[in-house]
Amino acid sequence: LMASLSVSFVITSCIIGMVISKIGRRLVLYSGIFIGVGSMVGFGFMIWINNTVLFIILSFTLRLLTGVASAMICVAAYAMVSIKYPENVQSKIALLEAANGAGLFIGPIFGGLVYQYTHFCVPFFAFSGLFMVCVPFMMKSLGPELDRDDNTHNDAPKVGYFKLLKNKRVLFAGINQFWNMIVFCSGQPIFGPRLQDKYYFSAFAVGAMFAVPCIAYIIGGPVLLPLITKKFEPRTTKIVGFFILAICCFIIGPSKILGFPDTSIAMMSIGLVILGLGAAFTIIPIIPEMLDAVEGQFLDSRSEVSDKFSGIFNMAGGFGQIC
């Protein structure tokens, strides 16, 4: 059930990356939001479904729709940032990722807290309402220039995924994102149940623990990363980030091989902080690295290249979540 979201996320990211310039990036974004709201409302109503077979079918359907919505929102968002701020992509993506981290921080805490003290359906309805409140502000802020399609004004050849992935730096950046998501997501189905079974954490406390790396991610992205990238290339930053992620895996365990205390919540918390910092160092430079890898090429298809890189970035992340 959980992997079904990632499967639909990957497929939708691939398709949207190819057609978003024709459909319109803003329309894709708004459509993704409305589909996401619909799926969340649907999950809220699941509490009144008593038939087991129907419950399972609807659960998979809504989960697939959530993946579709997430892909539409993510591909559109990253593409628009790359198009609107071509000279300052990394810092803007850092802010975008900070917002993403804030959502990952607030979501588990808010959802766990509301669920613990109210009812199953309340978190879904509450988040749906918050989503809809944001739409008018986005419609006012996002201008029609974000929907431009460079190829409608010239005879430039189409830029496909495979053509871009022939560039080794682009391919490595995609693989980088794949491994990022494996490390970032692999601990959730293991770590969460362990906190509940061994340490008797409540749903709210588990959500709070998962919020720890998100806080570090928010700090590491827009605050620390710009300072580091002034002296080091994105590739160097990503390599350092991978070493940080490797270290955090031993600490979160905690590793018996290294003699870390098995029952130390403090040790686990430190590992989660390091996880957030490492993720910031490896994820945020990916799209800027892709754009830098093809600098001077595809000059007549810049918006299409941004769309494709956004698709590759999100597809790679989705594959990592599946694995």
Side-chain angles (χ1 to χ4, degrees):
L1 176 61
M2 301 305 292
S4 61
L5 182 149
S6 299
V7 172
S8 63
F9 183 89
V10 170
I11 296 172
T12 306
S13 295
C14 179
I15 296 171
I16 293 298
M18 293 188 290
V19 302
I20 188 172
S21 61
K22 307 300 180 185
I23 300 174
R25 297 173 187 88
R26 293 182 301 165
L27 178 59
V28 170
L29 177 67
Y30 301 144
S31 299
I33 291 173
F34 285 117
I35 293 172
V37 167
S39 63
M40 283 192 288
V41 171
F43 272 118
F45 281 110
M46 292 287 286
I47 190 67
W48 291 286
I49 303 296
N50 297 318
N51 184 285
T52 303
V53 176
L54 180 60
F55 185 91
I56 293 173
I57 293 173
L58 289 176
S59 295
F60 272 103
T61 302
L62 292 172
R63 193 68 176 165
L64 289 170
L65 285 175
T66 303
V68 170
S70 299
M72 295 174 74
I73 294 169
C74 289
V75 173
Y78 285 101
M80 287 192 288
V81 167
S82 301
I83 292 169
K84 189 173 180 63
Y85 305 102
E87 305 299 328
N88 202 17
V89 176
Q90 182 158 291
S91 63
K92 299 304 180 183
I93 286 183
L95 293 175
L96 185 62
E97 286 295 328
N100 186 26
L104 292 172
F105 160 62
I106 295 172
I109 293 180
F110 179 78
L113 186 63
V114 173
Y115 172 72
Q116 186 170 338
Y117 292 103
T118 58
H119 201 266
F120 171 84
C121 62
V122 177
F124 296 107
F125 294 156
F127 277 121
S128 299
L130 290 174
F131 244 134
M132 293 304 298
V133 168
C134 296
V135 173
F137 295 98
M138 286 188 285
M139 296 181 71
K140 185 177 181 180
S141 302
L142 302 177
E145 72 278 0
L146 294 172
D147 288 328
R148 76 172 188 269
D149 180 9
D150 296 336
N151 281 342
T152 59
H153 305 293
N154 54 60
D155 297 324
K158 294 292 183 180
V159 181
Y161 288 126
F162 291 108
K163 189 172 185 178
L164 293 172
L165 288 171
K166 287 181 180 179
N167 186 302
K168 293 181 180 179
R169 288 174 62 185
V170 174
L171 178 61
F172 177 77
I175 295 172
N176 183 355
Q177 175 65 353
F178 169 76
W179 283 108
N180 281 333
M181 289 298 104
I182 286 182
V183 174
F184 205 73
C185 299
S186 61
Q188 294 182 10
I190 303 170
F191 190 55
R194 185 185 183 195
L195 290 175
Q196 290 181 312
D197 297 339
K198 188 171 183 177
Y199 301 99
Y200 306 104
F201 274 37
S202 65
F204 171 72
V206 172
M209 285 295 287
F210 280 120
V212 171
C214 301
I215 298 173
Y217 189 78
I218 295 170
I219 297 173
V223 178
L224 296 179
L225 193 60
L227 300 176
I228 295 173
T229 51
K230 286 182 179 179
K231 296 184 178 181
F232 300 100
E233 294 183 357
R235 282 175 289 179
T236 305
T237 306
K238 290 189 293 182
I239 292 171
V240 172
F242 270 119
F243 277 109
I244 294 174
L245 291 177
I247 293 171
C248 86
C249 291
F250 286 102
I251 298 176
I252 293 176
S255 174
K256 293 182 179 180
I257 297 175
L258 299 180
F260 293 145
D262 184 51
T263 58
S264 175
I265 298 296
M267 181 69 71
M268 295 180 189
S269 301
I270 292 171
L272 291 172
V273 171
I274 296 174
L275 173 63
L277 291 174
F281 283 24
T282 53
I283 293 175
I284 293 173
I286 290 177
I287 291 182
E289 169 71 4
M290 289 180 176
L291 293 169
D292 186 60
V294 298
E295 186 177 2
Q297 306 175 44
F298 314 113
L299 296 178
D300 296 325
S301 307
R302 291 177 180 175
S303 62
E304 186 179 3
V305 169
S306 296
D307 295 337
K308 295 298 188 300
F309 281 157
S310 182
I312 292 171
F313 176 82
N314 286 287
M315 277 191 289
F319 275 120
Q321 292 175 27
I322 293 172
C323 295

